[in-house]
Amino acid sequence: MQFFVDSADLQAIKDLADTGMVDGVTTNPSLVAKSGQDFKTLIAEICDLVPGPVSAEVTALDADAMLKEADELLAIAENVCIKVPLTWDGLKATRSLADRGKKVNVTLCFSANQALLAAKAGAAYISPFVGRLDDIGADGMGLISDIRQIYDNYPDLETEILVASVRSPEHMRAAALIGADVATLPPEVLRSLIAHPLTDKGLEAFLADWKKTGQSIA
Ligand code: E4P
């Protein structure tokens, strides 16, 4: 399973990349706005930090304008992955980019049928937003399960499931159990995956006992 970082915060991405756990990065216009940085410069810097796919989202609404923006973004670095919204124009742009061998992440997915359309359009990734579904009382992880089953029913569909809008370690555990291909995690959620009080308590006891031996290893 691949771990992406869902962030436009360069320092947070760098810190996590240093752990060796980061396979890619996803951004969106809201995260870019929050960073206060110039979009293209930011994407270039993230692409330098992380060799894996870095999703950069187009903001045009019609397919031709999306493709024009995609070309600008693709010129930034080899590992740019174009992110498009799940609209008919987005799917049209996806088909065109996929035919050119470019990776597309189709975002804002909230239903299994949308995921099926994105896969038929040749998307490299589909991004179902589990947290936002949970927020409205729907079953975010149920959607991941449905998409997994549908994609597995049709092996010619090569789109990877990129679980997005992840809010908790429980989301991550459930996504991994279902067999999602990728999860994109806010930095704080990725960091929280390691936490367990018994690990802390056990380490504390081991170190205290070791001290009693008076030995050192190196
Ligand atoms: C990822 O590609 C999405 O932009 C992101 O996960 C959305 O998360 P949010 O629902 O917490 O904004």
Side-chain angles (χ1 to χ4, degrees):
M1 185 179 194
Q2 294 209 308
F3 288 13
F4 289 1
V5 183
D6 194 27
S7 177
D9 179 333
L10 269 178
Q11 191 55 51
I13 295 167
K14 185 179 177 340
D15 291 348
L16 283 166
D18 287 347
T19 68
M21 291 289 164
V22 178
D23 301 301
V25 173
T26 53
T27 66
N28 64 40
S30 303
L31 292 170
V32 174
K34 194 172 151 199
S35 78
Q37 305 239 30
D38 173 73
F39 182 35
K40 290 185 199 169
T41 310
L42 180 68
I43 293 297
E45 287 173 344
I46 298 174
C47 286
D48 272 351
L49 282 177
V50 178
V54 173
S55 287
E57 189 161 342
V58 297
T59 53
L61 292 178
D62 75 275
D64 287 341
M66 283 181 190
L67 291 170
K68 207 169 156 207
E69 290 185 353
D71 282 336
E72 291 282 325
L73 296 170
L74 287 166
I76 295 173
E78 284 285 316
N79 52 331
V80 166
C81 172
I82 300 301
K83 204 176 185 191
V84 306
L86 218 157
T87 60
W88 288 115
D89 281 276
L91 295 179
K92 200 171 151 191
T94 299
R95 178 79 274 157
S96 168
L97 288 163
D99 286 347
R100 286 165 50 196
K102 305 299 179 191
K103 279 192 166 181
V104 181
N105 174 359
V106 177
T107 191
L108 290 168
C109 171
F110 295 95
S111 79
N113 283 332
Q114 288 180 327
L116 187 54
L117 290 171
K120 274 188 75 71
Y125 303 104
I126 183 67
S127 287
F129 280 31
V130 294
R132 293 192 195 188
L133 280 168
D134 291 353
D135 287 346
I136 60 159
D139 180 7
M141 278 302 153
L143 174 60
I144 302 302
S145 232
D146 286 354
I147 299 172
R148 179 74 285 154
Q149 191 178 334
I150 289 167
Y151 284 5
D152 288 351
N153 284 345
Y154 301 98
D156 55 315
L157 299 177
E158 291 174 346
T159 304
E160 294 196 278
I161 302 173
L162 195 175
V163 182
S165 190
V166 170
R167 304 268 168 80
S168 66
E170 178 48 30
H171 273 153
M172 187 64 189
R173 189 184 77 92
L177 279 171
I178 291 165
D181 303 286
V182 190
T184 189
L185 305 158
E188 61 281 9
V189 177
L190 206 164
R191 289 200 171 281
S192 75
L193 297 182
I194 203 167
H196 199 289
L198 290 179
T199 303
D200 299 339
K201 196 176 163 194
L203 182 59
E204 200 181 316
F206 285 158
L207 291 180
D209 289 341
W210 179 249
K211 206 169 172 188
K212 290 177 206 159
T213 71
Q215 299 180 50
S216 62
I217 297 173

